[in-house]
Amino acid sequence: MKVIFPFLILALIGLVLRLASSSQSMRPTEVESGPNLTLLISGEELGYLEPCGCAEGQLGGFPRRDSVIQQLGAKGNTLIPVANGDLIKDATRQSELKAEIGFAALKEMGYVAYNVGERDLLLGIDQLKYLQEASGIPFLSANLFHGENRVFQPFVLHTANLHGSQIQMAIIGVLSQSFEIQVENAGADLRLGNPTAVLTDLVEKLDQAADLIVLLAHADLAESEGLASAFPQIDVVVSGHEREELHEDPVFIKNTVLLNTGTKGKAIGQLDIRWSDDRTGPDYEFQALSLSERLPDSPRMIELLMLYQQMLTAENLSADMEREPPTTGGTYVGSASCKGCHAEVYAIWKESKHAHAYQTLISHGHAADPECLTCHTVGFGFQTGFVNIETTPNLPDMGCENCHGVGGNHVKNPQKGYGQVTQADCLTCHTTQNSPKFDYEVYLPKIQHWKGIGGGYETAKGF
Ligand code: HEC
Ligand code: HEC
Ligand code: HEC
Ligand code: HEC
Ligand SMILES: [Zn+2]
């Protein structure tokens, strides 16, 4: 496990936040509500801290989420943001850096609890404990044990002030019993307790101590529903693990509200909680706030995400990763190597958007981000492919060899038969997420650098 210069990062974050807090106020948006006690639920970002920007209309991202939170707060609401785990997707170095920034961001947004998910466990317990300490957010897991002891605290008590009265909240976290294997893989002596058994003890005690019990269940909806019906003392159950969208309509299991978080941070759930004057209730009102591009980006989140990009650059992450051999053999040579013999083709390509794909990353501040380089440069992830602009200045942009295959052999010994292209080649990058409007019939003519069907191509000059 590598923990990188944590103090430097925290110092930088402090600086960034001071800078950001002096910025301009925001434009008005669609968010509406009066003063309330508001539970804000999110989870399962799976590494999506912001939309990539490849297509219009993408939802989500911390900058928009923070704007919503700030707007709700400005209306006098008492906000309780809680997270239900799986902030990251895997255990790569990039995910470690992302976690570092992600938890700092949650802290800035005022999160009061983080329920550990099975993907988080991939980072390892030491790293999670470090992240808990660095962010100051309590990490919860009532049923994750190391020998006889709990790894993280089972719940957190949170006092919320609402119109002068104090509401005592207990927020508990559990992990689905289906993750035994993931727990074992996370470390020797780690074991997963049965959620029901663990809650039987806890809920009884907390029922006395708290006005409101919230259970964060990192479990699918069926298992969460089971917990909701087994423990009527729990007021709110938040479910979250691999469910597609955030459900607009909460389910009621007797008096317990059951909600889910959605995935990839595309929306945030807002549960307004009210008591009448005689403290009966509570009553609930729920809405899924979709984080659309109409929402402004919060400057302090933008600063944090820029810091993340600086960390990727500082670690030279794109150079420091495993690479597979190219599928067709040979070495990548770059689009300029084709120019000498295919001048006309080259000129057409040079005018296409493909030839500006790396510039796009530069203008969006992602020029060193391995998650973007895959589709915006030549041969990234393969041996002899793009590394970074200094090491491989010949391989930026979406070039000839991404479609026609590695060109080294062809350049040395040009032959017919090289580089057949099919729709499947396009679809490796034009995925539903990155290119939802992709239609081969429409897109193919836009990149045409050959004479139409049966027309034959004016072959390479000089042959
Ligand atoms: C899976 C491949 C893939 C990945 C990964 C990817 N992109 Fe893209 N990107 C595309 C494709 C394909 C398009 C063109 C979509 C279209 O027009 O239909 C695109 C377009 C874009 C555009 C719009 C360009 C324009 O001229 O309008 C931006 C901005 C962009 N990507 C940024 C990024 C960033 C930033 C990342 C990393 C966070 C990223 N991309 C990761 C495939 C990818
Ligand atoms: C290695 C990844 C990759 C492959 C393979 C790929 N593209 Fe693209 N494509 C991109 C990226 C990235 C962009 C956006 C470039 C930019 O503007 O920054 C893009 C943009 C485009 C655009 C411009 C869209 C617009 O908004 O005008 C067209 C058209 C296109 N691609 C067609 C194709 C076709 C057809 C294929 C297959 C024959 C293909 N692409 C294969 C990555 C790829
Ligand atoms: C987005 C994918 C894509 C990119 C990028 C691309 N090509 Fe092509 N190329 C094709 C497709 C599709 C054809 C159509 C012929 C086919 O079916 O293979 C083609 C055809 C050709 C042909 C003619 C083949 C023939 O039979 O007429 C040549 C030569 C060629 N490309 C060279 C290049 C060169 C050089 C570059 C870079 C400057 C380049 N291509 C970039 C997809 C691409
Ligand atoms: C030294 C000259 C030369 C260079 C450099 C060169 N080619 Fe070619 N290329 C040729 C010749 C010659 C042919 C065969 C033309 C023919 O007989 O129709 C050809 C054919 C092709 C074809 C069509 C294959 C077919 O079966 O019709 C593609 C695609 C192609 N080249 C792509 C590229 C790409 C991509 C590069 C750069 C990586 C490149 N070429 C560099 C000379 C060259
Ligand atoms: Zn999960």
Side-chain angles (χ1 to χ4, degrees):
M1 181 205 60
K2 284 193 273 181
V3 173
I4 60 142
F5 42 87
F7 300 111
L8 174 62
I9 287 171
L10 288 177
L12 279 170
I13 288 170
L15 175 72
V16 161
L17 298 175
R18 271 196 300 283
L19 286 175
S21 59
S22 63
S23 1
Q24 293 297 305
S25 62
M26 291 168 201
R27 282 178 281 130
T29 71
E30 66 246 55
V31 180
E32 271 177 42
S33 91
N36 277 312
L37 179 65
T38 300
L39 188 71
L40 292 171
I41 62 165
S42 60
E44 241 197 316
E45 286 85 358
L46 300 174
Y48 287 88
L49 303 187
E50 60 176 333
C52 63
C54 299
E56 280 168 20
Q58 289 175 329
L59 301 174
F62 280 11
R64 294 173 192 163
R65 187 195 294 188
D66 190 32
S67 297
V68 168
I69 292 178
Q70 290 189 32
Q71 285 168 16
L72 291 172
K75 288 186 176 139
N77 296 292
T78 300
L79 305 179
I80 319 287
V82 292
N84 203 8
D86 287 358
L87 180 67
I88 51 109
K89 184 176 72 193
D90 50 28
T92 60
R93 181 65 188 139
Q94 180 153 16
S95 286
E96 285 180 15
L97 296 176
K98 212 178 245 186
E100 191 109 29
I101 288 297
F103 283 105
L106 292 181
K107 179 64 180 173
E108 273 319 303
M109 290 189 268
Y111 275 72
V112 303
Y114 185 85
N115 184 33
V116 175
E118 92 289 354
R119 303 241 181 190
D120 302 315
L121 291 176
L122 295 170
L123 290 174
I125 300 297
D126 289 348
Q127 180 88 0
L128 289 176
K129 288 197 162 163
Y130 156 73
L131 289 164
Q132 167 171 247
E133 204 179 327
S135 70
I137 301 171
F139 282 25
L140 307 180
S141 199
N143 60 331
L144 182 62
F145 293 91
H146 188 258
E148 288 309 304
N149 302 317
R150 285 201 168 90
V151 180
F152 298 104
Q153 66 195 73
F155 63 87
V156 61
L157 285 174
H158 184 82
T159 310
N161 291 305
L162 186 71
H163 314 305
S165 59
Q166 296 207 322
I167 312 281
Q168 195 55 248
M169 296 176 68
I171 303 165
I172 313 173
V174 290
L175 183 58
S176 162
Q177 51 190 343
S178 64
F179 295 129
E180 248 167 60
I181 290 165
Q182 285 87 339
V183 166
E184 276 169 27
N185 289 345
D189 290 346
L190 283 183
R191 69 178 175 86
L192 191 63
N194 176 289
T196 311
V198 162
L199 286 172
T200 305
D201 262 11
L202 275 176
V203 168
E204 193 156 330
K205 284 188 208 126
L206 292 172
D207 200 25
Q208 309 298 314
D211 301 305
L212 196 78
I213 303 181
V214 175
L215 175 66
L216 302 178
H218 193 90
D220 66 16
L221 212 54
E223 189 179 347
S224 306
E225 193 178 325
L227 294 173
S229 46
F231 298 97
Q233 308 96 314
I234 298 178
D235 300 280
V236 182
V237 174
V238 181
S239 163
H241 175 76
E242 263 147 50
R243 290 207 55 90
E244 252 312 298
E245 303 295 335
L246 201 159
H247 293 205
E248 284 283 347
D249 301 314
V251 176
F252 277 88
I253 314 287
K254 293 192 198 122
N255 290 323
T256 304
V257 204
L258 175 61
L259 308 163
N260 79 329
T261 58
T263 99
K264 298 183 180 171
K266 288 190 271 186
I268 181 166
Q270 176 189 352
L271 183 73
D272 293 325
I273 307 172
R274 289 187 203 89
W275 285 266
S276 47
D277 293 339
D278 59 2
R279 291 300 285 272
T280 55
D283 293 330
Y284 304 105
E285 193 179 319
F286 183 73
Q287 45 187 321
L289 303 174
S290 184
L291 302 178
S292 80
E293 53 206 352
R294 276 183 295 169
L295 288 159
D297 286 333
S298 139
R300 61 182 187 177
M301 289 297 125
I302 294 291
E303 296 281 353
L304 270 180
L305 291 172
M306 279 168 62
L307 179 61
Y308 164 59
Q309 291 299 321
Q310 286 161 21
M311 286 156 73
L312 297 179
T313 312
E315 285 211 12
N316 199 3
L317 214 59
S318 67
D320 184 21
M321 56 183 284
E322 287 192 20
R323 300 183 141 73
E324 299 165 37
T327 42
T328 50
T331 53
Y332 284 102
V333 290
S335 306
S337 314
C338 320
K339 189 179 176 184
C341 303
H342 299 289
E344 259 179 80
V345 170
Y346 182 86
I348 297 169
W349 169 81
K350 197 68 189 156
E351 290 302 308
S352 74
K353 285 206 172 186
H354 281 154
H356 304 106
Y358 187 69
Q359 185 55 48
T360 298
L361 295 188
I362 295 177
S363 20
H364 286 77
H366 283 262
D369 188 339
E371 287 180 352
C372 312
L373 296 169
T374 326
C375 301
H376 285 255
T377 64
V378 174
F380 188 73
F382 294 103
Q383 287 160 18
T384 74
F386 185 85
V387 173
N388 55 41
I389 200 65
E390 293 79 25
T391 315
T392 50
N394 55 329
L395 299 176
D397 302 319
M398 172 18 212
C400 323
E401 292 164 285
N402 281 337
C403 287
H404 291 292
V406 181
N409 295 337
H410 174 76
V411 164
K412 273 186 246 151
N413 179 20
Q415 302 263 340
K416 247 190 172 327
Y418 159 69
Q420 295 303 303
V421 185
T422 65
Q423 179 171 197
D425 294 305
C426 315
L427 295 177
T428 57
C429 300
H430 288 267
T431 60
T432 40
Q433 182 176 308
N434 300 77
S435 185
K437 291 195 185 130
F438 184 77
D439 174 349
Y440 194 58
E441 306 298 320
V442 177
Y443 271 55
L444 190 64
K446 290 197 196 176
I447 58 144
Q448 185 164 354
H449 47 269
W450 55 92
K451 296 256 171 81
I453 299 160
Y457 182 70
E458 235 181 302
T459 52
K461 296 250 153 52
F463 287 86

